[in-house]
Amino acid sequence: EPEVTQTPSHQVTQMGQEVILRCVPISNHLYFYWYRQILGQKVEFLVSFYNNEISEKSEIFDDQFSVERPDGSNFTLKIRSTKLEDSAMYFCASSPGGAWNTEAFFGQGTRLTVV
Amino acid sequence: DAKTTQPPSMDCAEGRAANLPCNHSTISGNEYVYWYRQIHSQGPQYIIHGLKNNETNEMASLIITEDRKSSTLILPHATLRDTAVYYCIVRATSGTYKYIFGTGTRLKVLA
């Protein structure tokens, strides 16, 4: 069964360093998302991406964040200068399209720890 | 903000049906109801979604009231592996495709 793959599963980084979280969405899916979940809190929307551009972003997704689809298979989230409060689980998701009756499938997440 | 209300927690005996309620009294006519679950800190797992008709798949059934103001997710024969947080999500149709997760219902299946 196709699945969304995220790497690495766990990343530890020094505060102020740049990190890139990687995702391989399900093949032929067109709509991509990043979410995050701080320990013990809700799953929060960060950004959605379609047709090689950001469709929507939340207030969390400030200038320190960027997304890219560098090739036909990968979808990345970059945090330019990490802060302690960026420590969270980051989930990538993809869906066949953006229609409201198509479900999104989530990866298993990357646990980012900023020290 | 999430447009749904769910009980914070529920228990269910293993082998019995788990019925998880969700209120979405402000739902609009073309908004879908989605259910996801999250086991421990794993990625949310899609379960089922519907608009107004009842839906069933290999995982669960979704019963939506006629006025669409509430719904119930039914896991017909709960197992210990169904212990998770279950999220009921009303997907906005105001030009956004994002899913807004609330706090969900923490379902504990008891042996």
Side-chain angles (χ1 to χ4, degrees):
Chain A
E1 185 174 319
E3 59 182 17
V4 176
T5 305
Q6 291 187 243
T7 55
S9 56
H10 192 186
Q11 171 110 32
V12 180
T13 188
Q14 296 272 349
M15 189 170 55
Q17 294 296 303
E18 174 184 287
V19 294
I20 297 176
L21 309 183
R22 303 180 191 279
C23 168
V24 179
I26 294 172
S27 178
N28 298 324
H29 279 195
L30 301 176
Y31 217 85
F32 313 114
Y33 305 83
W34 282 101
Y35 283 77
R36 80 171 186 189
Q37 186 175 33
I38 296 170
L39 186 64
Q41 298 187 23
K42 295 185 209 178
V43 178
E44 300 175 289
F45 169 77
L46 291 178
V47 66
S48 58
F49 191 87
Y50 173 72
N51 202 24
N52 283 321
E53 61 182 24
I54 291 174
S55 298
E56 186 176 5
K57 59 184 180 180
S58 71
E59 292 177 353
I60 303 168
F61 195 88
D62 61 21
D63 292 343
Q64 292 299 308
F65 292 87
S66 62
V67 289
E68 194 177 37
R69 189 156 163 81
D71 52 43
S73 60
N74 290 285
F75 179 52
T76 61
L77 174 70
K78 182 193 290 187
I79 308 175
R80 260 180 270 283
S81 178
T82 50
K83 307 182 187 71
L84 295 176
E85 53 265 37
D86 293 327
S87 294
M89 285 290 292
Y90 288 81
F91 298 109
C92 172
S94 70
S95 68
W100 295 299
N101 65 341
T102 57
E103 62 271 28
F105 297 91
F106 286 75
Q108 290 306 296
T110 292
R111 180 175 299 283
L112 177 65
T113 302
V114 182
V115 296
Chain B
D1 287 342
K3 299 171 63 174
T4 62
T5 304
Q6 299 177 252
S9 63
M10 292 181 65
D11 291 340
C12 176
E14 188 178 20
R16 304 296 294 269
N19 297 281
L20 293 97
C22 179
N23 284 319
H24 31 79
S25 58
T26 61
I27 194 170
S28 299
N30 59 350
E31 291 180 324
Y32 283 78
V33 179
Y34 280 76
W35 283 83
Y36 279 80
R37 72 181 182 183
Q38 188 175 28
I39 298 172
H40 297 300
S41 294
Q42 297 178 21
Q45 178 187 21
Y46 167 77
I47 302 173
I48 198 166
H49 73 279
L51 182 62
K52 51 186 174 184
N53 297 322
N54 298 336
E55 302 287 345
T56 295
N57 63 20
E58 65 278 3
M59 286 184 70
S61 294
L62 173 61
I63 309 298
I64 302 175
T65 57
E66 195 168 335
D67 62 8
R68 302 188 69 239
K69 293 186 177 182
S70 65
S71 60
T72 301
L73 178 74
I74 301 173
L75 307 178
H77 305 287
T79 70
L80 298 178
R81 287 177 295 181
D82 292 320
T83 293
V85 178
Y86 287 76
Y87 299 99
C88 169
I89 299 169
V90 168
R91 193 131 179 246
T93 57
S94 57
T96 175
Y97 294 123
K98 66 187 177 190
Y99 301 79
I100 301 176
F101 288 81
T103 53
T105 295
R106 185 171 298 276
L107 175 71
K108 185 184 291 186
V109 180
L110 305 172

